[in-house]
CSV table of all heavy atoms in Angstrom, one decimal:
chain,number,residue,atom,x,y,z
A,1,VAL,N,-60.2,69.8,-35.1
A,1,VAL,CA,-60.8,69.2,-36.3
A,1,VAL,C,-59.9,69.5,-37.5
A,1,VAL,O,-59.6,68.6,-38.3
A,1,VAL,CB,-62.2,69.6,-36.5
A,1,VAL,CG1,-62.7,69.3,-37.9
A,1,VAL,CG2,-63.1,69.0,-35.4
A,2,ARG,N,-59.5,70.8,-37.6
A,2,ARG,CA,-58.7,71.2,-38.8
A,2,ARG,C,-57.3,70.4,-38.7
A,2,ARG,O,-56.7,70.1,-39.7
A,2,ARG,CB,-58.5,72.7,-38.8
A,2,ARG,CG,-59.8,73.4,-39.1
A,2,ARG,CD,-59.5,74.9,-39.5
A,2,ARG,NE,-58.7,75.6,-38.6
A,2,ARG,CZ,-59.1,76.3,-37.6
A,2,ARG,NH1,-60.4,76.3,-37.3
A,2,ARG,NH2,-58.2,77.0,-36.8
A,3,ARG,N,-56.8,70.2,-37.5
A,3,ARG,CA,-55.5,69.5,-37.4
A,3,ARG,C,-55.7,68.1,-37.9
A,3,ARG,O,-54.8,67.5,-38.5
A,3,ARG,CB,-55.0,69.5,-35.9
A,3,ARG,CG,-53.8,68.7,-35.7
A,3,ARG,CD,-52.6,69.4,-36.4
A,3,ARG,NE,-51.5,68.4,-36.4
A,3,ARG,CZ,-50.8,68.1,-37.5
A,3,ARG,NH1,-51.1,68.6,-38.7
A,3,ARG,NH2,-49.9,67.2,-37.5
A,4,LEU,N,-56.8,67.4,-37.5
A,4,LEU,CA,-57.1,66.1,-38.0
A,4,LEU,C,-57.2,66.1,-39.5
A,4,LEU,O,-56.7,65.2,-40.2
A,4,LEU,CB,-58.3,65.5,-37.4
A,4,LEU,CG,-58.1,65.1,-35.9
A,4,LEU,CD1,-59.5,64.7,-35.3
A,4,LEU,CD2,-57.1,64.0,-35.8
A,5,HIS,N,-57.8,67.1,-40.1
A,5,HIS,CA,-57.9,67.2,-41.5
A,5,HIS,C,-56.5,67.3,-42.2
A,5,HIS,O,-56.3,66.8,-43.3
A,5,HIS,CB,-58.7,68.5,-41.9
A,5,HIS,CG,-60.2,68.4,-41.7
A,5,HIS,ND1,-61.0,69.4,-41.8
A,5,HIS,CD2,-61.0,67.3,-41.2
A,5,HIS,CE1,-62.3,69.1,-41.5
A,5,HIS,NE2,-62.2,67.8,-41.2
A,6,ASP,N,-55.6,68.0,-41.5
A,6,ASP,CA,-54.2,68.1,-42.1
A,6,ASP,C,-53.5,66.8,-42.2
A,6,ASP,O,-52.7,66.6,-43.1
A,6,ASP,CB,-53.4,69.0,-41.2
A,6,ASP,CG,-52.1,69.5,-41.8
A,6,ASP,OD1,-52.2,69.8,-43.0
A,6,ASP,OD2,-51.1,69.5,-41.1
A,7,ILE,N,-53.9,65.8,-41.4
A,7,ILE,CA,-53.3,64.5,-41.6
A,7,ILE,C,-54.2,63.5,-42.3
A,7,ILE,O,-53.9,62.3,-42.4
A,7,ILE,CB,-52.9,63.9,-40.2
A,7,ILE,CG1,-54.1,63.7,-39.3
A,7,ILE,CG2,-51.8,64.7,-39.5
A,7,ILE,CD1,-53.8,62.8,-38.1
A,8,GLY,N,-55.3,64.1,-42.9
A,8,GLY,CA,-56.1,63.3,-43.8
A,8,GLY,C,-57.2,62.5,-43.1
A,8,GLY,O,-57.7,61.5,-43.6
A,9,ARG,N,-57.5,62.9,-41.8
A,9,ARG,CA,-58.6,62.2,-41.1
A,9,ARG,C,-59.8,63.1,-40.9
A,9,ARG,O,-59.7,64.3,-40.8
A,9,ARG,CB,-58.0,61.8,-39.7
A,9,ARG,CG,-56.9,60.8,-39.8
A,9,ARG,CD,-56.7,60.1,-38.5
A,9,ARG,NE,-55.6,59.1,-38.6
A,9,ARG,CZ,-55.7,57.9,-39.1
A,9,ARG,NH1,-56.9,57.4,-39.5
A,9,ARG,NH2,-54.7,57.1,-39.2
A,10,SER,N,-60.9,62.5,-40.7
A,10,SER,CA,-62.1,63.2,-40.5
A,10,SER,C,-62.2,63.8,-39.1
A,10,SER,O,-61.6,63.2,-38.2
A,10,SER,CB,-63.3,62.2,-40.7
A,10,SER,OG,-64.5,62.8,-40.2
A,11,GLY,N,-62.8,64.9,-38.9
A,11,GLY,CA,-63.0,65.5,-37.6
A,11,GLY,C,-63.7,64.6,-36.6
A,11,GLY,O,-63.6,64.7,-35.4
A,12,TRP,N,-64.5,63.7,-37.1
A,12,TRP,CA,-65.3,62.8,-36.3
A,12,TRP,C,-64.4,61.9,-35.4
A,12,TRP,O,-64.8,61.3,-34.4
A,12,TRP,CB,-66.3,61.9,-37.1
A,12,TRP,CG,-67.4,62.7,-37.6
A,12,TRP,CD1,-67.6,63.2,-38.9
A,12,TRP,CD2,-68.5,63.2,-36.9
A,12,TRP,NE1,-68.7,63.9,-39.0
A,12,TRP,CE2,-69.3,63.9,-37.7
A,12,TRP,CE3,-68.9,63.1,-35.5
A,12,TRP,CZ2,-70.5,64.5,-37.3
A,12,TRP,CZ3,-70.1,63.6,-35.1
A,12,TRP,CH2,-70.9,64.4,-36.0
A,13,TRP,N,-63.1,61.8,-35.8
A,13,TRP,CA,-62.1,61.0,-35.0
A,13,TRP,C,-61.9,61.6,-33.7
A,13,TRP,O,-61.4,60.9,-32.8
A,13,TRP,CB,-60.8,60.8,-35.8
A,13,TRP,CG,-60.8,59.7,-36.8
A,13,TRP,CD1,-60.9,59.8,-38.1
A,13,TRP,CD2,-60.8,58.3,-36.5
A,13,TRP,NE1,-60.9,58.6,-38.7
A,13,TRP,CE2,-60.8,57.6,-37.7
A,13,TRP,CE3,-60.7,57.6,-35.3
A,13,TRP,CZ2,-60.8,56.3,-37.8
A,13,TRP,CZ3,-60.7,56.2,-35.4
A,13,TRP,CH2,-60.7,55.6,-36.6
A,14,LEU,N,-62.3,62.8,-33.4
A,14,LEU,CA,-62.2,63.4,-32.1
A,14,LEU,C,-63.0,62.6,-31.1
A,14,LEU,O,-62.7,62.5,-29.9
A,14,LEU,CB,-62.8,64.8,-32.1
A,14,LEU,CG,-61.8,65.9,-32.5
A,14,LEU,CD1,-62.5,67.2,-32.5
A,14,LEU,CD2,-60.6,65.9,-31.7
A,15,LEU,N,-64.1,61.9,-31.6
A,15,LEU,CA,-64.9,61.1,-30.7
A,15,LEU,C,-64.1,59.9,-30.1
A,15,LEU,O,-64.6,59.3,-29.1
A,15,LEU,CB,-66.2,60.6,-31.4
A,15,LEU,CG,-67.1,61.7,-31.8
A,15,LEU,CD1,-68.3,61.2,-32.6
A,15,LEU,CD2,-67.6,62.5,-30.5
A,16,ILE,N,-63.0,59.6,-30.6
A,16,ILE,CA,-62.2,58.5,-30.1
A,16,ILE,C,-61.8,58.7,-28.6
A,16,ILE,O,-61.4,57.8,-27.9
A,16,ILE,CB,-61.0,58.1,-31.0
A,16,ILE,CG1,-60.5,56.7,-30.7
A,16,ILE,CG2,-59.9,59.2,-30.8
A,16,ILE,CD1,-59.5,56.2,-31.7
A,17,GLN,N,-61.8,60.0,-28.2
A,17,GLN,CA,-61.4,60.3,-26.9
A,17,GLN,C,-62.3,59.8,-25.8
A,17,GLN,O,-62.0,59.8,-24.6
A,17,GLN,CB,-61.0,61.8,-26.6
A,17,GLN,CG,-61.8,62.7,-27.2
A,17,GLN,CD,-61.3,64.2,-27.1
A,17,GLN,OE1,-60.5,64.5,-26.3
A,17,GLN,NE2,-61.8,65.0,-27.9
A,18,VAL,N,-63.5,59.3,-26.2
A,18,VAL,CA,-64.4,58.7,-25.2
A,18,VAL,C,-63.9,57.3,-24.7
A,18,VAL,O,-64.3,56.8,-23.7
A,18,VAL,CB,-65.8,58.5,-25.7
A,18,VAL,CG1,-66.4,59.9,-26.1
A,18,VAL,CG2,-65.9,57.6,-26.9
A,19,VAL,N,-62.9,56.8,-25.5
A,19,VAL,CA,-62.2,55.5,-25.0
A,19,VAL,C,-61.2,56.0,-24.0
A,19,VAL,O,-60.3,56.7,-24.4
A,19,VAL,CB,-61.6,54.8,-26.2
A,19,VAL,CG1,-60.9,53.6,-25.7
A,19,VAL,CG2,-62.6,54.5,-27.3
A,20,PRO,N,-61.3,55.5,-22.8
A,20,PRO,CA,-60.4,56.0,-21.7
A,20,PRO,C,-58.9,55.7,-22.1
A,20,PRO,O,-58.6,54.6,-22.5
A,20,PRO,CB,-60.8,55.2,-20.5
A,20,PRO,CG,-62.2,54.8,-20.8
A,20,PRO,CD,-62.3,54.6,-22.3
A,21,ILE,N,-58.1,56.6,-21.8
A,21,ILE,CA,-56.7,56.6,-21.9
A,21,ILE,C,-56.2,56.4,-23.4
A,21,ILE,O,-55.5,57.2,-24.0
A,21,ILE,CB,-56.0,55.7,-21.0
A,21,ILE,CG1,-56.3,56.1,-19.5
A,21,ILE,CG2,-54.5,55.7,-21.2
A,21,ILE,CD1,-55.9,55.1,-18.5
A,22,VAL,N,-56.6,55.3,-24.0
A,22,VAL,CA,-56.2,54.9,-25.3
A,22,VAL,C,-56.6,55.9,-26.3
A,22,VAL,O,-55.8,56.3,-27.2
A,22,VAL,CB,-56.7,53.5,-25.7
A,22,VAL,CG1,-56.3,53.1,-27.1
A,22,VAL,CG2,-56.1,52.4,-24.7
A,23,GLY,N,-57.8,56.4,-26.2
A,23,GLY,CA,-58.3,57.4,-27.2
A,23,GLY,C,-57.5,58.6,-27.2
A,23,GLY,O,-57.2,59.2,-28.2
A,24,ALA,N,-57.2,59.1,-26.0
A,24,ALA,CA,-56.4,60.4,-25.9
A,24,ALA,C,-55.0,60.1,-26.4
A,24,ALA,O,-54.4,61.1,-27.0
A,24,ALA,CB,-56.4,60.8,-24.4
A,25,LEU,N,-54.4,59.0,-26.1
A,25,LEU,CA,-53.1,58.7,-26.6
A,25,LEU,C,-53.1,58.6,-28.1
A,25,LEU,O,-52.1,59.1,-28.8
A,25,LEU,CB,-52.6,57.4,-26.0
A,25,LEU,CG,-52.2,57.5,-24.5
A,25,LEU,CD1,-51.8,56.1,-24.0
A,25,LEU,CD2,-51.1,58.5,-24.3
A,26,ILE,N,-54.1,58.0,-28.7
A,26,ILE,CA,-54.1,58.0,-30.2
A,26,ILE,C,-54.3,59.4,-30.8
A,26,ILE,O,-53.5,59.7,-31.8
A,26,ILE,CB,-55.3,57.1,-30.6
A,26,ILE,CG1,-55.0,55.6,-30.3
A,26,ILE,CG2,-55.6,57.2,-32.1
A,26,ILE,CD1,-56.2,54.7,-30.5
A,27,LEU,N,-55.1,60.2,-30.2
A,27,LEU,CA,-55.2,61.6,-30.7
A,27,LEU,C,-53.9,62.3,-30.5
A,27,LEU,O,-53.5,63.1,-31.5
A,27,LEU,CB,-56.3,62.3,-29.9
A,27,LEU,CG,-57.7,62.2,-30.5
A,27,LEU,CD1,-58.7,63.0,-29.6
A,27,LEU,CD2,-57.8,62.7,-31.9
A,28,LEU,N,-53.3,62.2,-29.4
A,28,LEU,CA,-52.0,62.8,-29.2
A,28,LEU,C,-51.0,62.4,-30.3
A,28,LEU,O,-50.3,63.2,-30.8
A,28,LEU,CB,-51.4,62.5,-27.8
A,28,LEU,CG,-50.1,63.1,-27.4
A,28,LEU,CD1,-50.2,64.7,-27.5
A,28,LEU,CD2,-49.6,62.6,-26.1
A,29,TRP,N,-51.0,61.1,-30.6
A,29,TRP,CA,-50.1,60.6,-31.6
A,29,TRP,C,-50.3,61.2,-33.0
A,29,TRP,O,-49.5,61.7,-33.7
A,29,TRP,CB,-50.2,59.1,-31.7
A,29,TRP,CG,-49.4,58.5,-32.8
A,29,TRP,CD1,-49.9,57.9,-34.0
A,29,TRP,CD2,-48.0,58.4,-32.9
A,29,TRP,NE1,-48.8,57.5,-34.8
A,29,TRP,CE2,-47.7,57.8,-34.2
A,29,TRP,CE3,-46.9,58.8,-32.1
A,29,TRP,CZ2,-46.4,57.6,-34.6
A,29,TRP,CZ3,-45.6,58.6,-32.5
A,29,TRP,CH2,-45.4,58.0,-33.7
A,30,TRP,N,-51.6,61.3,-33.3
A,30,TRP,CA,-52.0,62.0,-34.6
A,30,TRP,C,-51.7,63.5,-34.6
A,30,TRP,O,-51.3,64.0,-35.6
A,30,TRP,CB,-53.5,61.8,-34.8
A,30,TRP,CG,-53.9,60.4,-35.2
A,30,TRP,CD1,-53.0,59.4,-35.7
A,30,TRP,CD2,-55.2,59.8,-35.2
A,30,TRP,NE1,-53.8,58.3,-35.9
A,30,TRP,CE2,-55.1,58.5,-35.6
A,30,TRP,CE3,-56.4,60.3,-34.8
A,30,TRP,CZ2,-56.1,57.6,-35.7
A,30,TRP,CZ3,-57.5,59.4,-34.8
A,30,TRP,CH2,-57.3,58.1,-35.3
A,31,TYR,N,-51.8,64.2,-33.5
A,31,TYR,CA,-51.5,65.6,-33.4
A,31,TYR,C,-50.1,65.9,-33.6
A,31,TYR,O,-49.7,67.0,-34.1
A,31,TYR,CB,-52.0,66.2,-32.1
A,31,TYR,CG,-53.5,66.3,-31.9
A,31,TYR,CD1,-54.0,66.4,-30.6
A,31,TYR,CD2,-54.4,66.3,-32.9
A,31,TYR,CE1,-55.4,66.5,-30.4
A,31,TYR,CE2,-55.7,66.4,-32.7
A,31,TYR,CZ,-56.2,66.5,-31.5
A,31,TYR,OH,-57.5,66.7,-31.3
A,32,VAL,N,-49.2,65.0,-33.3
A,32,VAL,CA,-47.7,65.2,-33.4
A,32,VAL,C,-47.2,64.8,-34.8
A,32,VAL,O,-46.1,65.0,-35.1
A,32,VAL,CB,-46.9,64.6,-32.3
A,32,VAL,CG1,-47.3,65.2,-31.0
A,32,VAL,CG2,-47.0,63.1,-32.3
A,33,GLN,N,-48.0,64.1,-35.6
A,33,GLN,CA,-47.6,63.6,-36.9
A,33,GLN,C,-47.6,64.8,-37.9
A,33,GLN,O,-48.4,65.7,-37.8
A,33,GLN,CB,-48.6,62.6,-37.5
A,33,GLN,CG,-48.7,61.3,-36.6
A,33,GLN,CD,-47.3,60.7,-36.5
A,33,GLN,OE1,-46.6,60.4,-37.5
A,33,GLN,NE2,-46.9,60.5,-35.3
A,34,PRO,N,-46.6,64.8,-38.8
A,34,PRO,CA,-46.6,65.8,-39.8
A,34,PRO,C,-47.8,65.7,-40.8
A,34,PRO,O,-48.4,64.6,-41.0
A,34,PRO,CB,-45.3,65.5,-40.6
A,34,PRO,CG,-44.9,64.1,-40.3
A,34,PRO,CD,-45.6,63.8,-39.0
A,35,GLY,N,-48.2,66.9,-41.3
A,35,GLY,CA,-49.4,66.9,-42.1
A,35,GLY,C,-49.1,66.3,-43.5
A,35,GLY,O,-47.9,66.1,-43.9
A,36,ASN,N,-50.1,66.0,-44.2
A,36,ASN,CA,-50.0,65.4,-45.6
A,36,ASN,C,-49.4,66.5,-46.5
A,36,ASN,O,-49.8,67.7,-46.4
A,36,ASN,CB,-51.3,65.0,-46.2
A,36,ASN,CG,-51.9,63.9,-45.5
A,36,ASN,OD1,-51.3,63.2,-44.7
A,36,ASN,ND2,-53.2,63.6,-45.7
A,37,GLU,N,-48.4,66.1,-47.3
A,37,GLU,CA,-47.8,67.0,-48.3
A,37,GLU,C,-48.8,67.3,-49.4
A,37,GLU,O,-49.4,66.3,-49.9
A,37,GLU,CB,-46.5,66.4,-48.8
A,37,GLU,CG,-45.4,66.3,-47.8
A,37,GLU,CD,-44.9,67.7,-47.3
A,37,GLU,OE1,-44.8,68.6,-48.2
A,37,GLU,OE2,-44.6,67.8,-46.2
């Protein structure tokens, strides 16, 4: 959740992983993005 906050997204976006495959890939993409300056 704190990692999602670092890129300016709500922690509720973790629920996107209930979407098979695509949800996990989207989260992975967000996790590797640099945080907001």
Side-chain angles (χ1 to χ4, degrees):
V1 167
R2 291 194 312 269
R3 178 66 194 126
L4 288 173
H5 287 175
D6 193 42
I7 62 168
R9 299 201 177 273
S10 168
W12 288 104
W13 277 105
L14 278 178
L15 295 176
I16 199 169
Q17 38 188 342
V18 299
V19 178
I21 300 171
V22 174
L25 290 174
I26 290 171
L27 271 179
L28 179 63
W29 174 251
W30 287 340
Y31 288 159
V32 299
Q33 296 304 305
N36 293 347
E37 293 294 323

